[in-house]
Amino acid sequence: MAQLVKLQDYISRYEIDMFRYPSQFIRMKKDNYARLRQQWEDEQATPQIAEPEEIEEKKSFFKKWFKRKDQFDVWEDDEEEAIPLPEQESELKYFFLDRVFSFQLKWASSTLQEVSYFDRYYEHDLLLKYFLQRFPDTYLLFYNPIFKLKKAVVEADVMLITPTEIQCIVVLDQEGENITYQPVDDRKWMKVQDGVEKQIVSPLVSLKRTEKTIKSILDYNELEFPIKKVVLTQHNQIRHQQAPYQTEYVDETNYAEWFERQRETSYPIKYQQLKVSEALLEHTQKTFVKRPIWMDEDQDMT
């Protein structure tokens, strides 16, 4: 499960310590799945009508996630209704991933002291879920981040910071299925659907802008890391002769191969990957307010 490091211009938990939270997430995810599976096995072995105190215990199971003695890791979760565990073992993993997804959204939109106004749309964003739930724990996701460079504000594409490279990705499947795309020139592509041709802006335009932004940040911090541009469409075709340098076209003909290559990566999280992610985070726009409890304390001190 990839880690949501940055979501748009929200304040992120990872901005507190980029070198701490990725490994902590992986460890806690593993530990909590082991606890959840043990709870599921216990229920399967001794099925019975739950007492009120047992219901409350299950209700608080996920609220205990990611809690540590360090105050910066304590969640202030809202009350949640008790959600029964699935009966089938095959459904347990997906149940777990959906619960982790909700916590990732909180990590990507708040810290102990600050919180960003969260758009509930992201709770149902299937593309965001795709990147988080289908890729390895060692992949760090910047989902449509907003960078601030001097006086310029740049909205970037989806970015996956892997242990070996940065992948800047534009996804075309959001436009429908049974579509054929044909590059025309540096700025235009042809989109053909049901025999109807339509010119669209080349996805490479935004990808090059994202790449340029990343390069300027890396150069400023004297960092080097490979950058690859990816045009991704799982259910459609891209007709082309040869992709430009450091660019990959992934369509229905080679999607399975590309996806397996991502899933099978065995590289652990690397220092340079974290250093690059930290530098990128430092140049993102952050829109947030102080949590009420901290605002009250500030007023008491004045």
Side-chain angles (χ1 to χ4, degrees):
M1 190 171 197
Q3 302 188 45
L4 184 55
V5 171
K6 186 67 178 183
L7 178 61
Q8 204 177 33
D9 63 344
Y10 298 164
I11 191 74
S12 170
R13 187 66 56 106
Y14 289 83
E15 293 175 69
I16 296 175
D17 191 341
M18 190 64 235
F19 287 83
R20 168 187 171 188
Y21 279 92
S23 59
Q24 181 174 314
F25 173 84
I26 293 174
R27 182 176 63 255
M28 290 182 171
K29 175 172 167 278
K30 180 180 179 181
D31 292 345
N32 278 284
Y33 183 70
R35 289 176 53 215
L36 179 65
R37 183 173 179 80
Q38 185 61 56
Q39 178 179 325
W40 180 85
E41 291 177 350
D42 292 344
E43 288 188 6
Q44 297 301 309
T46 57
Q48 57 185 354
I49 300 177
E51 297 295 331
E53 57 270 17
E54 293 175 338
I55 294 178
E56 185 62 28
E57 181 179 352
K58 292 178 184 178
K59 178 178 178 180
S60 63
F61 177 83
F62 289 99
K63 294 180 67 178
K64 296 175 182 176
W65 283 20
F66 304 115
K67 285 191 175 182
R68 293 166 58 88
K69 293 180 180 179
D70 185 338
Q71 63 176 350
F72 289 102
D73 290 325
V74 177
W75 278 116
E76 297 176 2
D77 291 327
D78 298 328
E79 289 295 322
E80 298 182 55
E81 295 183 2
I83 301 178
L85 298 182
E87 295 184 2
Q88 302 299 323
E89 182 178 1
S90 59
E91 300 174 1
L92 189 64
K93 179 180 178 181
Y94 299 104
F95 172 85
F96 177 78
L97 291 178
D98 283 340
R99 302 299 288 171
V100 175
F101 177 72
S102 66
F103 277 95
Q104 285 186 296
L105 292 179
K106 292 179 181 179
W107 269 33
S109 60
S110 66
T111 67
L112 178 67
Q113 300 182 34
E114 301 95 11
V115 61
S116 297
Y117 290 112
F118 181 75
D119 189 341
R120 296 295 177 183
Y121 162 79
Y122 289 113
E123 295 178 340
H124 312 286
D125 187 337
L126 296 181
L127 185 60
L128 176 58
K129 269 195 172 185
Y130 165 78
F131 281 114
L132 290 180
Q133 296 186 347
R134 305 294 299 279
F135 289 80
D137 294 341
T138 55
Y139 279 39
L140 308 178
L141 177 65
F142 285 62
Y143 195 73
N144 300 134
I146 299 177
F147 290 100
K148 193 169 185 180
L149 306 176
K150 295 182 179 179
K151 295 183 180 181
V153 175
V154 181
E155 296 185 15
D157 297 304
V158 172
M159 296 161 44
L160 280 176
I161 318 298
T162 80
T164 58
E165 65 184 5
I166 299 174
Q167 296 188 28
C168 307
I169 304 175
V170 166
V171 180
L172 299 178
D173 279 337
Q174 295 169 301
E175 299 186 21
E177 298 185 8
N178 301 316
I179 301 173
T180 299
Y181 296 96
Q182 174 73 52
V184 177
D185 55 34
D186 290 343
R187 301 195 63 84
K188 297 190 295 291
W189 278 29
M190 186 68 70
K191 170 186 173 183
V192 183
Q193 186 174 21
D194 299 326
V196 179
E197 295 185 352
K198 178 183 178 182
Q199 278 196 357
I200 63 173
V201 176
S202 168
L204 296 182
V205 173
S206 65
L207 285 175
K208 289 177 180 178
R209 181 173 62 245
T210 298
E211 178 187 41
K212 182 179 179 180
T213 301
I214 295 172
K215 281 185 175 180
S216 66
I217 295 173
L218 297 187
D219 290 345
Y220 178 80
N221 289 274
E222 299 182 344
L223 295 171
E224 293 185 2
F225 210 58
I227 304 172
K228 178 181 289 185
K229 299 180 292 293
V230 180
V231 181
L232 175 64
T233 174
Q234 182 177 354
H235 304 293
N236 299 306
Q237 288 190 14
I238 301 174
R239 292 182 179 174
H240 62 93
Q241 294 181 342
Q242 184 176 0
Y245 178 69
Q246 289 290 59
T247 302
E248 187 172 10
Y249 293 149
V250 180
D251 65 5
E252 64 179 8
T253 64
N254 64 342
Y255 172 80
E257 177 186 350
W258 175 84
F259 183 66
E260 279 305 307
R261 194 164 68 243
Q262 310 303 318
R263 298 270 293 179
E264 292 177 356
T265 180
S266 58
Y267 291 108
I269 291 178
K270 294 190 174 183
Y271 173 83
Q272 190 73 351
Q273 176 190 11
L274 297 177
K275 194 69 178 175
V276 165
S277 299
E278 181 183 54
L280 292 173
L281 276 177
E282 288 177 354
H283 289 83
T284 56
Q285 183 166 291
K286 304 165 186 64
T287 305
F288 61 89
V289 297
K290 282 194 173 183
R291 289 181 182 270
I293 184 173
W294 288 93
M295 292 177 65
D296 293 341
E297 290 185 4
D298 287 346
Q299 293 172 0
D300 291 341
M301 294 174 65
T302 57

